[in-house]
């Protein structure tokens, strides 16, 4: 099945079935454990690195320190916590078969979330407040995604027990068809002739405006993002967050972005601007759609204010949605879709983009 993320704050029904009522003996208990495992893995990845998990390998090559390597470090901790050291391959595949069957029923999201919060705290994935907030943000989406698209038992057990029990490859469902036209022979590049026209391109990316940035706060707090309200004051031996920003676990205040953009005039003129997204802050554990849209419209207005008539070609970053990395395909409709985001982007970027680009943006 194709894998995707679902972007939604619409809760699934909170009315799970009693154990054994659905005819799958023992499946409900296994269902919670498997779903909690998947949710905790997703949270660990979201908080430690925000690159898109389900991107094609050919499009976004992952370094040895990327998601697969991180998963292989995380999974043994789950085995230790749950005492799965003696879990056999047949039992594992039976377990995930029961989970897949159980997910055809109406899962009790609240119960899954409660256990996932405890697991997040137990594994020290994040501070307790962050664990609670991010589970509540992700739980509905994780249930919906797993119900629609779940790892096969062989893939799940290959992840947990190793290649002797199955093959786990997050990129296995991606297939790229190449054209039948023969590849042309390589040619050495030809430098432009002296006096040839030159284009000056401004590249903007990862502005990450933090609405809650606060000067003087602790830049090395316990949360994944610091220098903000709630980070607390630093110890007397360390300085607090600076006025313009801090080279630490911090994003930028709006005044820094405004200063940056206002200073680009003398550096111009530019023929065009490539703006490759990631506008909101890294507070991925308690973002709302309103937060994301505020970041989009506020920073877009600044870019337009200071760059004026220069053509800007914006792209969608993985932080634009909430939950982070959540971009369901077009066939997902209703509150689970990302139409709320794409429509707002099309409206904000309409002065820059032609009609065809706006149409494709709305139909991503």
């Amino acid at each position: 099945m194709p894998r995707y993320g679902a972007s939604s704050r619409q809760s699934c029904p909170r009315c799970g079935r009693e154990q054994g009522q659905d005819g799958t003996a023992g499946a409900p208990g296994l269902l919670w454990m498997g779903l909690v495992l998947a949710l905790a893995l997703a949270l660990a990845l979201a908080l430690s690195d925000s690159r898109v998990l389900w991107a094609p390998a050919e499009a976004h090559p992952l370094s040895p320190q990327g998601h697969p390597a991180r998963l292989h470090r995380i999974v043994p901790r789950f085995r230790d916590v749950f005492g799965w050291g003696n879990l056999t391959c047949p039992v594992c595949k039976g377990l995930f078969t029961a989970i897949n069957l159980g997910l055809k029923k109406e899962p009790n999201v609240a119960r899954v979330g409660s256990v996932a919060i405890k697991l997040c705290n137990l594994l020290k994935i994040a501070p307790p407040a962050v664990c609670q907030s991010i589970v509540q943000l992700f739980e509905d989406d994780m249930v919906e995604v797993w119900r629609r698209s779940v790892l096969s038992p062989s893939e799940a057990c290959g992840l947990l027990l190793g290649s002797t029990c199955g093959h786990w490859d997050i990129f296995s469902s991606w297939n790229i068809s190449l054209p039948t036209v023969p590849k042309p022979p390589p040619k050495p590049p030809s430098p432009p002739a002296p006096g040839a026209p030159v284009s000056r391109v401004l590249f903007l990316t990862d502005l990450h405006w933090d609405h809650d940035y606060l000067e003087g706060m602790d830049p090395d707090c316990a949360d994944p993002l610091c220098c903000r309200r709630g980070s607390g004051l630093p110890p007397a031996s360390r300085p607090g967050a600076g006025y313009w920003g801090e080279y630490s676990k911090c994003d930028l205040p709006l005044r820094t972005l405004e200063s940056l953009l206002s200073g680009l005039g003398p550096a111009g003129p530019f023929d065009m601007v490539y703006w490759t997204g990631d506008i909101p802050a890294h507070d991925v554990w308690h973002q709302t759609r309103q937060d994301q849209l505020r970041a989009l419209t506020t920073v877009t207005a600044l870019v337009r204010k200071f760059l004026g008539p220069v053509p800007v070609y914006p792209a969608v970053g993985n932080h634009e949605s909430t939950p982070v990395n959540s971009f369901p395909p077009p066939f997902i409709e209703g509150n689970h879709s990302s139409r709320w985001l794409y429509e707002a982007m099309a409206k904000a970027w309409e002065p820059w983009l032609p009609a065809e680009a706006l149409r494709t943006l709305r139909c991503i």
Side-chain angles (χ1 to χ4, degrees):
M1 286 186 178
R3 296 172 173 80
Y4 68 91
S7 178
S8 164
R9 296 309 309 137
Q10 177 178 347
S11 297
C12 297
R14 308 279 186 182
C15 51
R17 298 176 181 268
E18 295 297 325
Q19 189 167 1
Q21 183 177 341
D22 57 5
T24 55
L30 301 180
L31 164 62
W32 310 135
M33 193 59 66
L35 194 54
V36 166
L37 168 63
L39 180 54
L41 283 170
L43 302 185
L45 292 171
L47 289 170
S48 60
D49 187 302
S50 57
R51 286 175 295 178
V52 181
L53 177 58
W54 302 117
E58 295 81 358
H60 300 282
L62 297 180
S63 68
Q65 300 303 316
H67 286 298
R70 187 176 303 106
L71 280 172
H72 286 298
R73 292 195 300 269
I74 293 172
V75 168
R77 292 159 63 185
F78 285 88
R79 286 204 293 259
D80 292 341
V81 168
F82 292 112
W84 286 350
N86 296 322
L87 182 65
T88 65
C89 185
V91 171
C92 179
K93 290 183 177 179
L95 163 69
F96 279 94
T97 298
I99 290 172
N100 290 354
L101 291 173
L103 281 168
K104 304 300 181 183
K105 312 299 180 182
E106 294 180 347
N108 188 321
V109 182
R111 182 177 174 186
V112 172
S114 175
V115 178
I117 292 171
K118 294 176 182 177
L119 182 58
C120 180
N121 291 325
L122 181 63
L123 294 174
K124 294 180 169 50
I125 294 174
V130 175
C131 283
Q132 179 166 344
S133 295
I134 199 167
V135 166
Q136 291 172 348
L137 181 62
F138 272 77
E139 60 185 3
D140 293 334
D141 289 39
M142 284 299 303
V143 168
E144 181 66 17
V145 168
W146 198 321
R147 289 177 64 192
R148 290 175 174 264
S149 167
V150 67
L151 287 174
S152 70
S154 179
E155 289 174 318
C157 295
L159 168 63
L160 290 174
L161 301 180
S163 58
T164 57
C165 190
H167 179 63
W168 182 74
D169 181 0
I170 64 174
F171 305 124
S172 60
S173 63
W174 291 87
N175 182 33
I176 298 178
S177 299
L178 299 178
T180 57
V181 179
K183 183 178 179 181
K187 295 180 180 180
S190 300
V198 174
S199 293
R200 302 189 73 234
V201 179
L202 173 65
F203 181 75
L204 293 175
T205 190
D206 294 84
L207 298 180
H208 289 298
W209 166 45
D210 186 358
H211 176 267
D212 290 331
Y213 185 97
L214 189 60
E215 182 184 6
M217 293 293 101
D218 190 354
D220 191 27
C221 64
D223 291 344
L225 182 64
C226 303
C227 297
R228 58 203 324 261
R229 295 179 178 87
S231 297
L233 295 173
S237 59
R238 287 194 286 107
Y243 179 79
W244 296 107
E246 193 68 34
Y247 190 68
S248 186
K249 298 192 300 180
C250 307
D251 286 326
L252 294 174
L254 192 63
R255 55 180 169 268
T256 303
L257 300 183
E258 193 164 6
S259 177
L260 164 70
L261 294 170
S262 65
L264 292 175
F270 299 104
D271 296 290
M272 66 191 75
V273 179
Y274 291 163
W275 183 19
T276 55
D278 274 10
I279 304 170
H282 287 87
D283 55 335
V284 299
W285 63 94
H286 59 56
Q287 290 173 334
T288 66
R289 292 182 177 183
Q290 289 71 29
D291 294 334
Q292 308 306 85
L293 296 179
R294 176 180 59 188
L296 168 69
T297 55
T298 300
V299 179
T300 295
L302 280 182
V303 173
R304 187 178 296 116
K305 173 183 176 181
F306 290 108
L307 296 179
V310 181
V312 177
Y313 300 102
V316 182
N318 69 299
H319 273 270
E320 261 63 83
S321 188
T322 182
V324 66
N325 297 336
S326 181
F327 296 94
F331 60 80
I332 302 300
E333 298 179 346
N335 198 46
H336 281 282
S337 78
S338 285
R339 186 170 297 276
W340 63 273
L341 177 63
Y342 299 142
E343 288 290 344
M345 286 178 168
K347 182 178 179 181
W349 298 341
E350 187 173 9
W352 294 325
L353 298 178
E356 178 63 16
L358 293 171
R359 186 189 68 80
T360 59
L361 176 58
R362 288 186 169 101
C363 299
I364 290 179

